[in-house]
Amino acid sequence: MADLKEFVKGLPEAAQAYLENRRLDEVECIISDLPGIARGKAVPATKFARQDYFHLPDSIFYQTITGDWGEAAGDEGFIERDMILRPDMSTASAAPWTADWTIQVIHDAFDREGAPIPFSPRNVLRRVVEMYHARGWKPVVAPEMEFFLVARNLDPAHEIKPMMGRSGRPAAARQAYSMTAVDEFGPVIDDIYDFAEAQGFEIDGITQEGGAGQLEINLRHGDPIKLADEVFYFKRLIREAALKHDCFATFMAKPIEDEPGSAMHVHHSILDIETGRNLFAGPQGGETDLFFHFIGGLQKHLPSAIAVLAPYVNSYRRYVKDHAAPINLAWGRDNRTTGIRVPLSGPDARRVENRMAGMDCNPYLGIAASLSCGLLGILNEEWPDKQFKGDAYSGESDIPNVMGEALTLFEEATALHDILGPEFARVYAIVKRTEYEEFLQVISPWEREHLLLNV
């Protein structure tokens, strides 16, 4: 790379604006692991400007959410090889919460022969996107991010509680779309906007959701990898904004009892690469076979992908009847009770919304899994069930409702593995089985309260 001044001139516009008349001090070289945690190294800017890559062991992708390691003892290939991590400079972005002038850069992982590491989440998503591109199609997504602002919780034995608002009262529940409720979090939201602007991100809107202290941020539609990068960055900047105001931001799927959970709804459309035409809309504005096959693929294959969209035991607490999360894969038009929704739109903006993913999923993997299910439906010409009209909560559940069942379905889904990558599927199952078995060793307060003396 060039010297530091030349290096800064080559950064994206937002990063250059952030550093105007300032000296860049440090670069955070980061990559997403399976849970979506940023792993990497912080290096002096002068050193980064001279380097083309750095190394991390591939074992970071075997690490569980608790910091333990997947059961890889029987895996002869698991010797903690060094990966080569190369920066994608288009992702260079400010880290405006730091004390000095720092930027972050997302890296891609390769082996020593230059092949992509197959279980790196960003590489998994790129593999899926390239399968669309090979057919002349351009997938487009728009994620919605739900999260809670909660009071600082320093003891895991204590229940999570809503944060105190500007009024000095705890955040109120069941105030969806209330502007007064949004104003309660004004200082935190101001910093979220400021951090996002410094990073060059465009927020399409912030709304109060149905839970106490629950907010939603919508992002503008675009390229799946770029949008997954933004969600990855957003989760970090939202946490940092909350910490500035003595509260926590949590993306846990169901942090508070009797409150709705937090989802990452993903809107999908597919464009013709050459013409830019929305392939879900026909010449007369009607819906195409490809549109219905995409929905059919979601209906047929999402049960096997739920272990990716709902990656923790807590994730399944979100799928509760009448709590703003789907319980089945019915599809409907402008119907938020269904797992698959077709929003109101004109033909050019026709899209399909997958409402199954929790906000606790890795954004690269969640989007990759959703696109994979739709692609399988298109390739196999799978047709959906008849459109559901009415309250889909009146229907039966057709998704796994515990982590163990979801993992079994995922482990058996060889067609899905072929899209996501067999080696990714193998490693993901190892890590998630390890997490699930660790959870089963924990005795909960409910068990102690109700079983200790009564059974």
Side-chain angles (χ1 to χ4, degrees):
M1 289 189 180
D3 62 32
L4 192 55
K5 287 185 178 179
E6 289 300 313
F7 167 72
V8 170
K9 288 181 181 178
L11 294 176
E13 186 177 335
Q16 288 189 53
Y18 174 70
L19 294 170
E20 188 173 0
N21 298 322
R22 297 161 180 148
R23 179 178 173 80
L24 176 62
D25 291 314
E26 189 173 74
V27 178
E28 295 178 345
C29 309
I30 58 176
I31 187 170
S32 167
D33 67 0
L34 292 189
I37 297 169
R39 306 280 179 186
K41 295 181 179 180
V43 300
T46 51
K47 178 182 177 182
F48 183 84
R50 296 193 304 268
Q51 75 180 28
D52 294 317
Y53 61 88
F54 77 102
H55 294 123
L56 280 182
D58 62 4
S59 58
I60 65 169
F61 297 116
Y62 280 83
Q63 195 162 14
T64 69
I65 195 66
T66 65
D68 289 328
W69 306 91
E71 296 295 337
D75 180 0
E76 296 179 0
F78 185 71
I79 59 174
E80 290 201 273
R81 292 184 176 91
D82 267 342
M83 303 179 293
I84 297 171
L85 272 67
R86 297 189 180 278
D88 179 346
M89 295 308 300
S90 70
T91 69
S93 171
W97 49 84
T98 56
D100 53 12
W101 300 103
T102 299
I103 63 169
Q104 314 164 81
V105 182
I106 294 172
H107 286 56
D108 286 314
F110 302 90
D111 64 21
R112 66 192 70 190
E113 280 77 40
I117 298 295
F119 34 78
S120 171
R122 200 168 190 250
N123 287 342
V124 173
L125 178 54
R126 180 175 285 110
R127 172 189 170 98
V128 176
V129 169
E130 287 176 351
M131 288 185 178
Y132 278 84
H133 290 173
R135 291 162 174 83
W137 304 333
K138 179 182 179 181
V140 174
V141 302
E144 301 172 355
M145 300 182 294
E146 296 177 349
F147 60 96
F148 280 83
L149 296 175
V150 300
R152 290 173 67 91
N153 183 289
L154 305 182
D155 185 346
H158 293 166
E159 293 182 356
I160 296 172
K161 297 181 179 180
M163 69 169 284
M164 289 292 180
R166 212 175 39 151
S167 65
R169 302 177 66 185
R174 292 172 290 281
Q175 298 297 326
Y177 306 108
S178 164
M179 294 310 301
T180 300
V182 170
D183 290 343
E184 282 283 275
F185 317 120
V188 182
I189 291 174
D190 286 346
D191 277 330
I192 289 173
Y193 273 120
D194 289 345
F195 289 168
E197 183 179 2
Q199 293 187 247
F201 301 150
E202 185 174 356
I203 295 175
D204 210 33
I206 294 182
T207 58
Q208 164 73 23
E209 277 295 323
Q214 188 182 32
L215 297 172
E216 177 179 289
I217 292 179
N218 298 331
L219 302 181
R220 288 184 58 80
H221 62 274
D223 173 77
I225 298 173
K226 180 178 182 294
L227 267 297
D229 288 341
E230 289 192 12
V231 175
F232 175 58
Y233 273 144
F234 256 107
K235 291 175 85 166
R236 191 178 187 197
L237 80 82
I238 291 168
R239 286 192 183 101
E240 293 291 342
L243 287 172
K244 278 189 62 178
H245 298 278
D246 199 35
C247 64
F248 288 169
T250 180
F251 302 95
M252 187 175 173
K254 185 83 166 183
I256 302 176
E257 292 179 21
D258 300 322
E259 297 286 356
S262 290
M264 186 184 76
H265 300 153
V266 183
H267 295 245
H268 298 280
S269 56
I270 304 173
L271 307 183
D272 183 286
I273 286 179
E274 291 187 1
T275 66
R277 181 172 62 86
N278 187 338
L279 296 177
F280 285 170
Q284 308 303 318
E287 291 148 343
T288 61
D289 287 355
L290 191 140
F291 166 84
F292 288 109
H293 293 327
F294 189 92
I295 295 175
L298 293 181
Q299 284 193 323
K300 181 171 182 178
H301 300 286
L302 274 178
S304 299
I306 290 293
V308 180
L309 302 178
Y312 305 105
V313 288
N314 175 265
S315 308
Y316 297 81
R317 299 184 186 278
R318 192 180 131 252
Y319 302 129
V320 178
K321 183 177 179 180
D322 297 324
H323 268 65
I327 62 168
N328 55 45
L329 293 169
W331 78 276
R333 304 177 198 276
D334 193 27
N335 186 340
R336 285 182 170 82
T337 69
T338 59
I340 303 166
R341 171 176 170 256
V342 178
L344 291 176
S345 70
D348 290 345
R350 183 161 296 133
R351 59 197 185 275
V352 176
E353 179 188 14
N354 177 357
R355 297 176 60 80
M356 301 304 301
M359 196 60 231
D360 54 346
C361 80
N362 181 306
Y364 299 102
L365 299 181
I367 293 171
S370 191
L371 285 171
S372 296
C373 293
L375 181 60
L376 281 170
I378 294 170
L379 298 181
N380 297 330
E381 297 185 353
E382 292 162 345
W383 291 93
D385 297 337
K386 186 177 179 182
Q387 176 194 177
F388 194 95
K389 297 181 179 179
D391 184 354
Y393 291 127
S394 65
E396 296 296 321
S397 174
D398 56 8
I399 58 173
N401 55 21
V402 293
M403 186 70 191
E405 180 187 352
L407 277 172
T408 298
L409 289 175
F410 176 77
E411 289 163 343
E412 296 171 349
T414 54
L416 184 63
H417 299 173
D418 289 342
I419 303 293
L420 295 170
E423 184 66 2
F424 158 73
R426 184 186 70 82
V427 171
Y428 188 82
I430 287 172
V431 171
K432 290 300 165 183
R433 278 290 174 196
T434 303
E435 287 178 354
Y436 185 55
E437 288 166 7
E438 183 178 353
F439 169 79
L440 292 177
Q441 302 304 312
V442 177
I443 308 303
S444 70
W446 185 94
E447 292 166 278
R448 290 192 289 272
E449 179 178 352
H450 297 291
L451 304 183
L452 182 65
L453 300 178
N454 293 333
V455 297

